[in-house]
Amino acid sequence: MTGLYSSNVTPTDRRRAFRASLNGSEITRLPGAFSPLVARAIQEKGFEGVYVSGAVVAADLALPDIGLTTLTEVAGRARQIARATDLPVLVDADTGFGEPMSAARTISEFEDAGVAGCHLEDQVNPKRCGHLDGKEVVPTDVMLRRIGAAVKERRDDQFVICARTDAAGVEGIDSAIERAKAYADAGADLIFTEALHTPEEFAKFRAAVDIPLLANMTEFGKSELLSARELEDLGMNAVIYPVTTLRIAMGQVEEALGDIAETGTQKEWLERMQHRSRLYELLRYDEYNEFDQGVFTYSRESYDPSK
């Protein structure tokens, strides 16, 4: 369990745990968290990690996922989420927020934020959502410079640098595989196989690439939604559910607001809400109260400004 204000597990230990999980026999599941509280719920439900989606950070700021968010905004949200959980946190770093030198600074900022790793993609900057049409990818040598700069700047060798390739939907799966091999040779620890369509494509990628692979099971996208067990059987090492919790929450929010606007009351939603008592449990209210009672020693009678 995390400390009251931050995790008791060091960033290096969480990075080490993430690497061990990626190389284990069971798939590493990383649901997306749009807030620190969601990250805590992910930990309580027994998942192996937490994912911070660039699309979700943008959406939470009421922005489209087209490269409008900044390194400061994403690193700040990542830091808040990492603080609230003992689990390793993987962060979407888009294209590195600029040129290769910017990608290097991104690694430094994310290491300081306490996350376990991040992924850089080979799209043209500014990027587009990976499951939309009209994407463009940079030449392989440009992406290799991004990865090389990231690897060079990394101070903790346990920090996981993941390379995402969007080339399957632009140049075809064979090109994506060749890029993935080159990215691994350049120092990437994990390959994000974006927007593959079928189990056969995942299997083809697995047969060709030696390092751990990450699958994206986002809703309403290009990929057939496969279960964690199915992906594990295909040889995938990790799976993210990047926008799932936000979509569930916003779907409920919009429906509830519509009912309140029509009826003037939220009574019909009481049994569909998270109860106050459960919220307080997740927030660990009792532990904060106990801590406060143990350290709050000030009283007006004992206060002497001369001492």
PDB file of all heavy atoms in Angstrom, residues 91-97 102-104 106-107 110 118-123 143 146-151 161-166 183 190 192:
ATOM      1  N   VAL A  91       3.973   5.879 -19.595  1.00  0.00           N
ATOM      2  CA  VAL A  91       3.399   7.142 -20.072  1.00  0.00           C
ATOM      3  C   VAL A  91       3.578   7.283 -21.584  1.00  0.00           C
ATOM      4  O   VAL A  91       4.625   6.950 -22.135  1.00  0.00           O
ATOM      5  CB  VAL A  91       4.062   8.338 -19.359  1.00  0.00           C
ATOM      6  CG1 VAL A  91       3.417   9.649 -19.811  1.00  0.00           C
ATOM      7  CG2 VAL A  91       3.962   8.198 -17.856  1.00  0.00           C
ATOM      8  N   ASP A  92       2.547   7.807 -22.212  1.00  0.00           N
ATOM      9  CA  ASP A  92       2.561   8.137 -23.640  1.00  0.00           C
ATOM     10  C   ASP A  92       3.305   9.460 -23.833  1.00  0.00           C
ATOM     11  O   ASP A  92       2.845  10.512 -23.391  1.00  0.00           O
ATOM     12  CB  ASP A  92       1.114   8.249 -24.117  1.00  0.00           C
ATOM     13  CG  ASP A  92       0.975   8.594 -25.579  1.00  0.00           C
ATOM     14  OD1 ASP A  92       1.998   8.836 -26.243  1.00  0.00           O
ATOM     15  OD2 ASP A  92      -0.174   8.630 -26.063  1.00  0.00           O
ATOM     16  N   ALA A  93       4.443   9.416 -24.498  1.00  0.00           N
ATOM     17  CA  ALA A  93       5.242  10.627 -24.732  1.00  0.00           C
ATOM     18  C   ALA A  93       5.118  11.139 -26.161  1.00  0.00           C
ATOM     19  O   ALA A  93       5.944  11.942 -26.610  1.00  0.00           O
ATOM     20  CB  ALA A  93       6.715  10.353 -24.408  1.00  0.00           C
ATOM     21  N   ASP A  94       4.088  10.678 -26.888  1.00  0.00           N
ATOM     22  CA  ASP A  94       3.882  11.116 -28.269  1.00  0.00           C
ATOM     23  C   ASP A  94       5.180  10.988 -29.077  1.00  0.00           C
ATOM     24  O   ASP A  94       5.824   9.953 -29.034  1.00  0.00           O
ATOM     25  CB  ASP A  94       3.339  12.542 -28.298  1.00  0.00           C
ATOM     26  CG  ASP A  94       1.871  12.628 -27.877  1.00  0.00           C
ATOM     27  OD1 ASP A  94       1.238  11.567 -27.755  1.00  0.00           O
ATOM     28  OD2 ASP A  94       1.374  13.729 -27.665  1.00  0.00           O
ATOM     29  N   THR A  95       5.571  12.020 -29.761  1.00  0.00           N
ATOM     30  CA  THR A  95       6.792  11.979 -30.573  1.00  0.00           C
ATOM     31  C   THR A  95       8.008  12.523 -29.815  1.00  0.00           C
ATOM     32  O   THR A  95       9.051  12.784 -30.416  1.00  0.00           O
ATOM     33  CB  THR A  95       6.607  12.795 -31.866  1.00  0.00           C
ATOM     34  OG1 THR A  95       6.302  14.148 -31.523  1.00  0.00           O
ATOM     35  CG2 THR A  95       5.480  12.228 -32.713  1.00  0.00           C
ATOM     36  N   GLY A  96       7.870  12.682 -28.524  1.00  0.00           N
ATOM     37  CA  GLY A  96       8.955  13.248 -27.726  1.00  0.00           C
ATOM     38  C   GLY A  96       8.852  14.744 -27.567  1.00  0.00           C
ATOM     39  O   GLY A  96       9.792  15.387 -27.103  1.00  0.00           O
ATOM     40  N   PHE A  97       7.711  15.307 -27.994  1.00  0.00           N
ATOM     41  CA  PHE A  97       7.424  16.742 -27.846  1.00  0.00           C
ATOM     42  C   PHE A  97       8.416  17.621 -28.607  1.00  0.00           C
ATOM     43  O   PHE A  97       8.776  18.704 -28.157  1.00  0.00           O
ATOM     44  CB  PHE A  97       7.367  17.134 -26.362  1.00  0.00           C
ATOM     45  CG  PHE A  97       6.350  16.352 -25.588  1.00  0.00           C
ATOM     46  CD1 PHE A  97       6.718  15.246 -24.823  1.00  0.00           C
ATOM     47  CD2 PHE A  97       5.009  16.699 -25.631  1.00  0.00           C
ATOM     48  CE1 PHE A  97       5.769  14.508 -24.118  1.00  0.00           C
ATOM     49  CE2 PHE A  97       4.052  15.966 -24.937  1.00  0.00           C
ATOM     50  CZ  PHE A  97       4.432  14.870 -24.179  1.00  0.00           C
ATOM     51  N   SER A 102      14.528  17.254 -27.754  1.00  0.00           N
ATOM     52  CA  SER A 102      13.340  17.332 -26.912  1.00  0.00           C
ATOM     53  C   SER A 102      12.976  15.957 -26.365  1.00  0.00           C
ATOM     54  O   SER A 102      12.529  15.834 -25.214  1.00  0.00           O
ATOM     55  CB  SER A 102      12.165  17.905 -27.703  1.00  0.00           C
ATOM     56  OG  SER A 102      12.438  19.219 -28.146  1.00  0.00           O
ATOM     57  N   ALA A 103      13.154  14.921 -27.179  1.00  0.00           N
ATOM     58  CA  ALA A 103      12.897  13.560 -26.709  1.00  0.00           C
ATOM     59  C   ALA A 103      13.815  13.216 -25.540  1.00  0.00           C
ATOM     60  O   ALA A 103      13.409  12.556 -24.578  1.00  0.00           O
ATOM     61  CB  ALA A 103      13.085  12.562 -27.846  1.00  0.00           C
ATOM     62  N   ALA A 104      15.064  13.666 -25.614  1.00  0.00           N
ATOM     63  CA  ALA A 104      15.999  13.432 -24.514  1.00  0.00           C
ATOM     64  C   ALA A 104      15.523  14.120 -23.239  1.00  0.00           C
ATOM     65  O   ALA A 104      15.548  13.536 -22.148  1.00  0.00           O
ATOM     66  CB  ALA A 104      17.391  13.937 -24.903  1.00  0.00           C
ATOM     67  N   THR A 106      12.498  14.828 -22.514  1.00  0.00           N
ATOM     68  CA  THR A 106      11.298  14.102 -22.090  1.00  0.00           C
ATOM     69  C   THR A 106      11.666  12.953 -21.161  1.00  0.00           C
ATOM     70  O   THR A 106      11.012  12.739 -20.129  1.00  0.00           O
ATOM     71  CB  THR A 106      10.541  13.581 -23.328  1.00  0.00           C
ATOM     72  OG1 THR A 106      10.054  14.702 -24.068  1.00  0.00           O
ATOM     73  CG2 THR A 106       9.376  12.700 -22.923  1.00  0.00           C
ATOM     74  N   ILE A 107      12.700  12.207 -21.516  1.00  0.00           N
ATOM     75  CA  ILE A 107      13.133  11.100 -20.663  1.00  0.00           C
ATOM     76  C   ILE A 107      13.546  11.625 -19.290  1.00  0.00           C
ATOM     77  O   ILE A 107      13.166  11.065 -18.249  1.00  0.00           O
ATOM     78  CB  ILE A 107      14.313  10.342 -21.318  1.00  0.00           C
ATOM     79  CG1 ILE A 107      13.894   9.751 -22.657  1.00  0.00           C
ATOM     80  CG2 ILE A 107      14.836   9.253 -20.381  1.00  0.00           C
ATOM     81  CD1 ILE A 107      12.729   8.794 -22.595  1.00  0.00           C
ATOM     82  N   PHE A 110      10.436  12.597 -17.253  1.00  0.00           N
ATOM     83  CA  PHE A 110       9.651  11.453 -16.803  1.00  0.00           C
ATOM     84  C   PHE A 110      10.382  10.646 -15.738  1.00  0.00           C
ATOM     85  O   PHE A 110       9.759  10.086 -14.833  1.00  0.00           O
ATOM     86  CB  PHE A 110       9.264  10.565 -17.991  1.00  0.00           C
ATOM     87  CG  PHE A 110       8.133  11.116 -18.821  1.00  0.00           C
ATOM     88  CD1 PHE A 110       8.028  10.806 -20.163  1.00  0.00           C
ATOM     89  CD2 PHE A 110       7.168  11.938 -18.273  1.00  0.00           C
ATOM     90  CE1 PHE A 110       6.987  11.308 -20.938  1.00  0.00           C
ATOM     91  CE2 PHE A 110       6.123  12.447 -19.021  1.00  0.00           C
ATOM     92  CZ  PHE A 110       6.031  12.132 -20.361  1.00  0.00           C
ATOM     93  N   CYS A 118       8.273   5.193 -20.695  1.00  0.00           N
ATOM     94  CA  CYS A 118       7.433   5.958 -21.611  1.00  0.00           C
ATOM     95  C   CYS A 118       7.633   5.402 -23.007  1.00  0.00           C
ATOM     96  O   CYS A 118       8.589   4.677 -23.270  1.00  0.00           O
ATOM     97  CB  CYS A 118       7.760   7.447 -21.569  1.00  0.00           C
ATOM     98  SG  CYS A 118       9.357   7.887 -22.278  1.00  0.00           S
ATOM     99  N   HIS A 119       6.706   5.751 -23.899  1.00  0.00           N
ATOM    100  CA  HIS A 119       6.899   5.348 -25.287  1.00  0.00           C
ATOM    101  C   HIS A 119       6.944   6.552 -26.202  1.00  0.00           C
ATOM    102  O   HIS A 119       6.249   7.551 -26.015  1.00  0.00           O
ATOM    103  CB  HIS A 119       5.865   4.322 -25.753  1.00  0.00           C
ATOM    104  CG  HIS A 119       4.435   4.763 -25.767  1.00  0.00           C
ATOM    105  ND1 HIS A 119       3.915   5.595 -26.721  1.00  0.00           N
ATOM    106  CD2 HIS A 119       3.397   4.459 -24.950  1.00  0.00           C
ATOM    107  CE1 HIS A 119       2.631   5.779 -26.510  1.00  0.00           C
ATOM    108  NE2 HIS A 119       2.289   5.112 -25.415  1.00  0.00           N
ATOM    109  N   LEU A 120       7.835   6.444 -27.176  1.00  0.00           N
ATOM    110  CA  LEU A 120       8.011   7.435 -28.237  1.00  0.00           C
ATOM    111  C   LEU A 120       7.542   6.804 -29.541  1.00  0.00           C
ATOM    112  O   LEU A 120       7.782   5.616 -29.775  1.00  0.00           O
ATOM    113  CB  LEU A 120       9.484   7.825 -28.358  1.00  0.00           C
ATOM    114  CG  LEU A 120      10.147   8.428 -27.119  1.00  0.00           C
ATOM    115  CD1 LEU A 120      11.654   8.424 -27.285  1.00  0.00           C
ATOM    116  CD2 LEU A 120       9.631   9.835 -26.868  1.00  0.00           C
ATOM    117  N   GLU A 121       6.896   7.587 -30.395  1.00  0.00           N
ATOM    118  CA  GLU A 121       6.359   7.026 -31.627  1.00  0.00           C
ATOM    119  C   GLU A 121       7.034   7.603 -32.860  1.00  0.00           C
ATOM    120  O   GLU A 121       7.703   8.641 -32.780  1.00  0.00           O
ATOM    121  CB  GLU A 121       4.853   7.251 -31.687  1.00  0.00           C
ATOM    122  CG  GLU A 121       4.440   8.700 -31.740  1.00  0.00           C
ATOM    123  CD  GLU A 121       2.976   8.891 -31.369  1.00  0.00           C
ATOM    124  OE1 GLU A 121       2.582   8.505 -30.253  1.00  0.00           O
ATOM    125  OE2 GLU A 121       2.242   9.433 -32.215  1.00  0.00           O
ATOM    126  N   ASP A 122       6.822   6.916 -33.979  1.00  0.00           N
ATOM    127  CA  ASP A 122       7.497   7.318 -35.212  1.00  0.00           C
ATOM    128  C   ASP A 122       6.601   8.119 -36.151  1.00  0.00           C
ATOM    129  O   ASP A 122       6.855   8.189 -37.360  1.00  0.00           O
ATOM    130  CB  ASP A 122       8.086   6.102 -35.939  1.00  0.00           C
ATOM    131  CG  ASP A 122       7.067   5.010 -36.246  1.00  0.00           C
ATOM    132  OD1 ASP A 122       5.857   5.253 -36.064  1.00  0.00           O
ATOM    133  OD2 ASP A 122       7.488   3.913 -36.675  1.00  0.00           O
ATOM    134  N   GLN A 123       5.578   8.747 -35.599  1.00  0.00           N
ATOM    135  CA  GLN A 123       4.754   9.630 -36.423  1.00  0.00           C
ATOM    136  C   GLN A 123       5.455  10.967 -36.662  1.00  0.00           C
ATOM    137  O   GLN A 123       6.353  11.364 -35.925  1.00  0.00           O
ATOM    138  CB  GLN A 123       3.413   9.899 -35.740  1.00  0.00           C
ATOM    139  CG  GLN A 123       2.400   8.788 -35.876  1.00  0.00           C
ATOM    140  CD  GLN A 123       0.990   9.302 -35.603  1.00  0.00           C
ATOM    141  OE1 GLN A 123       0.538  10.280 -36.187  1.00  0.00           O
ATOM    142  NE2 GLN A 123       0.304   8.615 -34.696  1.00  0.00           N
ATOM    143  N   MET A 143      13.464   8.410 -36.566  1.00  0.00           N
ATOM    144  CA  MET A 143      13.021   7.743 -35.335  1.00  0.00           C
ATOM    145  C   MET A 143      14.211   7.148 -34.577  1.00  0.00           C
ATOM    146  O   MET A 143      14.244   7.176 -33.340  1.00  0.00           O
ATOM    147  CB  MET A 143      12.010   6.650 -35.670  1.00  0.00           C
ATOM    148  CG  MET A 143      11.465   5.913 -34.456  1.00  0.00           C
ATOM    149  SD  MET A 143      10.611   6.998 -33.276  1.00  0.00           S
ATOM    150  CE  MET A 143       9.983   5.750 -32.124  1.00  0.00           C
ATOM    151  N   ARG A 146      15.581   9.776 -32.477  1.00  0.00           N
ATOM    152  CA  ARG A 146      14.755   9.988 -31.281  1.00  0.00           C
ATOM    153  C   ARG A 146      15.097   8.961 -30.204  1.00  0.00           C
ATOM    154  O   ARG A 146      15.300   9.302 -29.034  1.00  0.00           O
ATOM    155  CB  ARG A 146      13.258   9.867 -31.628  1.00  0.00           C
ATOM    156  CG  ARG A 146      12.667  11.039 -32.362  1.00  0.00           C
ATOM    157  CD  ARG A 146      11.199  10.799 -32.688  1.00  0.00           C
ATOM    158  NE  ARG A 146      10.690  11.853 -33.570  1.00  0.00           N
ATOM    159  CZ  ARG A 146       9.542  11.800 -34.228  1.00  0.00           C
ATOM    160  NH1 ARG A 146       8.754  10.733 -34.107  1.00  0.00           N
ATOM    161  NH2 ARG A 146       9.163  12.816 -34.994  1.00  0.00           N
ATOM    162  N   ILE A 147      15.145   7.708 -30.609  1.00  0.00           N
ATOM    163  CA  ILE A 147      15.438   6.648 -29.647  1.00  0.00           C
ATOM    164  C   ILE A 147      16.849   6.802 -29.106  1.00  0.00           C
ATOM    165  O   ILE A 147      17.086   6.668 -27.893  1.00  0.00           O
ATOM    166  CB  ILE A 147      15.261   5.260 -30.298  1.00  0.00           C
ATOM    167  CG1 ILE A 147      13.799   5.060 -30.720  1.00  0.00           C
ATOM    168  CG2 ILE A 147      15.683   4.154 -29.332  1.00  0.00           C
ATOM    169  CD1 ILE A 147      13.581   3.834 -31.594  1.00  0.00           C
ATOM    170  N   GLY A 148      17.793   7.079 -29.989  1.00  0.00           N
ATOM    171  CA  GLY A 148      19.177   7.235 -29.556  1.00  0.00           C
ATOM    172  C   GLY A 148      19.346   8.357 -28.553  1.00  0.00           C
ATOM    173  O   GLY A 148      20.069   8.220 -27.553  1.00  0.00           O
ATOM    174  N   ALA A 149      18.669   9.480 -28.780  1.00  0.00           N
ATOM    175  CA  ALA A 149      18.736  10.602 -27.842  1.00  0.00           C
ATOM    176  C   ALA A 149      18.124  10.215 -26.503  1.00  0.00           C
ATOM    177  O   ALA A 149      18.645  10.561 -25.431  1.00  0.00           O
ATOM    178  CB  ALA A 149      18.010  11.815 -28.426  1.00  0.00           C
ATOM    179  N   ALA A 150      17.010   9.480 -26.543  1.00  0.00           N
ATOM    180  CA  ALA A 150      16.345   9.050 -25.314  1.00  0.00           C
ATOM    181  C   ALA A 150      17.229   8.110 -24.506  1.00  0.00           C
ATOM    182  O   ALA A 150      17.393   8.253 -23.288  1.00  0.00           O
ATOM    183  CB  ALA A 150      15.015   8.378 -25.651  1.00  0.00           C
ATOM    184  N   VAL A 151      17.819   7.145 -25.190  1.00  0.00           N
ATOM    185  CA  VAL A 151      18.694   6.178 -24.517  1.00  0.00           C
ATOM    186  C   VAL A 151      19.911   6.881 -23.918  1.00  0.00           C
ATOM    187  O   VAL A 151      20.344   6.583 -22.796  1.00  0.00           O
ATOM    188  CB  VAL A 151      19.120   5.069 -25.500  1.00  0.00           C
ATOM    189  CG1 VAL A 151      20.201   4.183 -24.876  1.00  0.00           C
ATOM    190  CG2 VAL A 151      17.915   4.232 -25.909  1.00  0.00           C
ATOM    191  N   ILE A 161      12.323   2.299 -22.032  1.00  0.00           N
ATOM    192  CA  ILE A 161      12.076   3.103 -23.225  1.00  0.00           C
ATOM    193  C   ILE A 161      11.390   2.217 -24.257  1.00  0.00           C
ATOM    194  O   ILE A 161      11.950   1.230 -24.722  1.00  0.00           O
ATOM    195  CB  ILE A 161      13.386   3.686 -23.780  1.00  0.00           C
ATOM    196  CG1 ILE A 161      13.973   4.682 -22.776  1.00  0.00           C
ATOM    197  CG2 ILE A 161      13.143   4.357 -25.135  1.00  0.00           C
ATOM    198  CD1 ILE A 161      15.313   5.246 -23.171  1.00  0.00           C
ATOM    199  N   CYS A 162      10.162   2.583 -24.554  1.00  0.00           N
ATOM    200  CA  CYS A 162       9.341   1.831 -25.491  1.00  0.00           C
ATOM    201  C   CYS A 162       9.259   2.601 -26.807  1.00  0.00           C
ATOM    202  O   CYS A 162       9.083   3.826 -26.808  1.00  0.00           O
ATOM    203  CB  CYS A 162       7.942   1.625 -24.896  1.00  0.00           C
ATOM    204  SG  CYS A 162       6.749   0.829 -26.003  1.00  0.00           S
ATOM    205  N   ALA A 163       9.392   1.905 -27.912  1.00  0.00           N
ATOM    206  CA  ALA A 163       9.266   2.521 -29.234  1.00  0.00           C
ATOM    207  C   ALA A 163       7.959   2.064 -29.866  1.00  0.00           C
ATOM    208  O   ALA A 163       7.707   0.862 -30.003  1.00  0.00           O
ATOM    209  CB  ALA A 163      10.446   2.137 -30.122  1.00  0.00           C
ATOM    210  N   ARG A 164       7.140   3.028 -30.216  1.00  0.00           N
ATOM    211  CA  ARG A 164       5.868   2.719 -30.885  1.00  0.00           C
ATOM    212  C   ARG A 164       6.012   2.953 -32.379  1.00  0.00           C
ATOM    213  O   ARG A 164       6.533   3.981 -32.809  1.00  0.00           O
ATOM    214  CB  ARG A 164       4.769   3.613 -30.317  1.00  0.00           C
ATOM    215  CG  ARG A 164       3.494   3.640 -31.139  1.00  0.00           C
ATOM    216  CD  ARG A 164       2.435   4.478 -30.473  1.00  0.00           C
ATOM    217  NE  ARG A 164       1.571   5.128 -31.450  1.00  0.00           N
ATOM    218  CZ  ARG A 164       0.508   5.866 -31.156  1.00  0.00           C
ATOM    219  NH1 ARG A 164       0.195   6.066 -29.880  1.00  0.00           N
ATOM    220  NH2 ARG A 164      -0.211   6.430 -32.102  1.00  0.00           N
ATOM    221  N   THR A 165       5.543   1.996 -33.158  1.00  0.00           N
ATOM    222  CA  THR A 165       5.529   2.191 -34.600  1.00  0.00           C
ATOM    223  C   THR A 165       4.102   2.223 -35.123  1.00  0.00           C
ATOM    224  O   THR A 165       3.295   1.338 -34.851  1.00  0.00           O
ATOM    225  CB  THR A 165       6.343   1.132 -35.360  1.00  0.00           C
ATOM    226  OG1 THR A 165       6.252   1.403 -36.761  1.00  0.00           O
ATOM    227  CG2 THR A 165       5.890  -0.289 -35.054  1.00  0.00           C
ATOM    228  N   ASP A 166       3.807   3.272 -35.873  1.00  0.00           N
ATOM    229  CA  ASP A 166       2.511   3.435 -36.530  1.00  0.00           C
ATOM    230  C   ASP A 166       2.587   3.055 -38.000  1.00  0.00           C
ATOM    231  O   ASP A 166       1.657   3.330 -38.759  1.00  0.00           O
ATOM    232  CB  ASP A 166       2.053   4.889 -36.391  1.00  0.00           C
ATOM    233  CG  ASP A 166       1.588   5.228 -34.984  1.00  0.00           C
ATOM    234  OD1 ASP A 166       2.414   5.288 -34.075  1.00  0.00           O
ATOM    235  OD2 ASP A 166       0.372   5.422 -34.807  1.00  0.00           O
ATOM    236  N   TYR A 183      14.460  -0.378 -34.261  1.00  0.00           N
ATOM    237  CA  TYR A 183      14.268   0.360 -33.012  1.00  0.00           C
ATOM    238  C   TYR A 183      14.842  -0.435 -31.836  1.00  0.00           C
ATOM    239  O   TYR A 183      15.441   0.145 -30.917  1.00  0.00           O
ATOM    240  CB  TYR A 183      12.786   0.641 -32.775  1.00  0.00           C
ATOM    241  CG  TYR A 183      12.108   1.466 -33.855  1.00  0.00           C
ATOM    242  CD1 TYR A 183      10.720   1.552 -33.927  1.00  0.00           C
ATOM    243  CD2 TYR A 183      12.841   2.147 -34.831  1.00  0.00           C
ATOM    244  CE1 TYR A 183      10.088   2.301 -34.913  1.00  0.00           C
ATOM    245  CE2 TYR A 183      12.225   2.891 -35.825  1.00  0.00           C
ATOM    246  CZ  TYR A 183      10.841   2.961 -35.860  1.00  0.00           C
ATOM    247  OH  TYR A 183      10.211   3.690 -36.846  1.00  0.00           O
ATOM    248  N   LEU A 190      11.123  -2.143 -25.426  1.00  0.00           N
ATOM    249  CA  LEU A 190       9.762  -2.635 -25.622  1.00  0.00           C
ATOM    250  C   LEU A 190       9.246  -2.028 -26.929  1.00  0.00           C
ATOM    251  O   LEU A 190       9.536  -0.864 -27.220  1.00  0.00           O
ATOM    252  CB  LEU A 190       8.887  -2.188 -24.437  1.00  0.00           C
ATOM    253  CG  LEU A 190       7.386  -2.450 -24.448  1.00  0.00           C
ATOM    254  CD1 LEU A 190       7.110  -3.957 -24.379  1.00  0.00           C
ATOM    255  CD2 LEU A 190       6.716  -1.742 -23.261  1.00  0.00           C
ATOM    256  N   PHE A 192       5.830  -1.122 -29.135  1.00  0.00           N
ATOM    257  CA  PHE A 192       4.388  -0.885 -29.129  1.00  0.00           C
ATOM    258  C   PHE A 192       3.907  -1.078 -30.563  1.00  0.00           C
ATOM    259  O   PHE A 192       4.224  -0.277 -31.444  1.00  0.00           O
ATOM    260  CB  PHE A 192       4.152   0.535 -28.619  1.00  0.00           C
ATOM    261  CG  PHE A 192       2.716   0.994 -28.516  1.00  0.00           C
ATOM    262  CD1 PHE A 192       2.432   2.135 -27.778  1.00  0.00           C
ATOM    263  CD2 PHE A 192       1.663   0.352 -29.145  1.00  0.00           C
ATOM    264  CE1 PHE A 192       1.131   2.608 -27.661  1.00  0.00           C
ATOM    265  CE2 PHE A 192       0.366   0.803 -29.048  1.00  0.00           C
ATOM    266  CZ  PHE A 192       0.100   1.945 -28.306  1.00  0.00           C
TER     267      PHE A 192
END
